[in-house]
Amino acid sequence: VVAAVVFFVVYSVEAAPTVQEIVSLARQQLSLPTEVSQGEMTVHRGETVTRACSFVMGRLWDEAAQTEAVRIDFKTAINSVGDSSLYSDQRYLLKRTAQAAATQWLYLPALRRVRIVPFQPDDPLLQSHMLFYDLTPILDFEDYRFRLLDADEQAPVIEGTPVDATRPTPYQSIIFSLQKRGATYIVTTTHAVKNGKEKTARFSAFREIAPGYFRPGRVEISEVDGRT
C-alpha cells in the first residue's frame, strides 16, 4: 500500500490599492492640523520676470468640521525684480468648508482694512500661474471623480473629472502622477485642462516635515505663456 501525501502551499497576495484608497492616502498625508511654510515666488511671462516676492503661508485643517483655512502673506519689491528697498505687502486669507467655495479676505495695508473678496476659482494668485483654488488641496480632492490610468502600485496615475457642475473647480480634468512613500502617496505632477488650455505643475525636493507627511521644496507651474 502506497500512501500519497499532498501538500498545499498557500501564498498570501496583497491586493493592489484601489483608486479611492490611493486618493484617500494622498489626501490624508496633506491633512496636518497646523503647518507653516515660507519661500519665494517668481513669475515668468515668456522669459521675462514680471513678479518676484517672498511669502509666508500658514495652513489650518479641522478634520471634524472639514474646514481648510490658508493665510498667505506676500512681500513684493516695488519694481518687481527685487532691487528696490521699497516693498508692497499683500495678505490673503481663504477658508473653505467641504463641498463649498472658499471665503476670501484681502488685507489692505495702506488702509489698514480687511475686505471680503468674491471667490472665483480661476482667479490667479498675484497674476501668477497658481490659482487661489490651488491653495486648498485637501478639499479640492473632493471635487473630482477618479479613475486609474496606470495601476502601477509604486507610481500610479489617476484622472479626475468634476463630480458635478456645482463644485467650485476651474479644471475640466486633471491627471495626477503619484509616487509611493512608505505607507502613503505623494503627488509629483499634475496635468490640468482649464478653458481648453493645458497647465502642468511639478513638485520636487520633498522632505518629511512630520512622520508620514511630505512637502515639496520646489513647485513649478507652467502654461503656454510662461511659468511660476
Side-chain angles (χ1 to χ4, degrees), residues 26-129:
R27 183 180 185 271
Q28 184 181 27
Q29 83 90 24
L30 291 173
S31 304
L32 268 177
T34 307
E35 61 181 286
V36 177
S37 59
Q38 60 183 9
E40 298 180 351
M41 183 175 77
T42 306
V43 181
H44 299 256
R45 298 294 174 184
E47 296 303 317
T48 303
V49 175
T50 59
R51 183 181 291 272
C53 54
S54 60
F55 67 86
V56 177
M57 182 170 66
R59 184 187 307 276
L60 298 175
W61 168 246
D62 186 334
E63 181 73 31
Q66 290 290 288
T67 298
E68 191 171 4
V70 180
R71 173 176 166 170
I72 184 165
D73 295 3
F74 287 101
K75 179 174 284 191
T76 307
I78 296 299
N79 66 357
S80 298
V81 293
D83 296 329
S84 174
S85 60
L86 299 176
Y87 290 86
S88 172
D89 292 338
Q90 290 176 283
R91 305 173 191 176
Y92 298 93
L93 175 64
L94 284 83
K95 186 176 181 180
R96 184 180 175 190
T97 303
Q99 300 182 13
T103 303
Q104 181 177 327
W105 293 265
L106 168 63
Y107 174 66
L108 304 170
L111 301 177
R112 295 186 178 180
R113 294 287 186 274
V114 175
R115 185 177 71 187
I116 297 179
V117 181
F119 177 77
Q120 298 294 331
D122 57 354
D123 274 352
L125 180 65
L126 287 188
Q127 293 80 52
S128 72
H129 299 88

Side-chain angles (χ1 to χ4, degrees), residues 132-144:
F132 279 100
Y133 174 85
D134 299 330
L135 293 175
T136 54
I138 301 171
L139 290 175
D140 289 352
F141 272 114
E142 302 301 310
D143 295 333
Y144 302 98

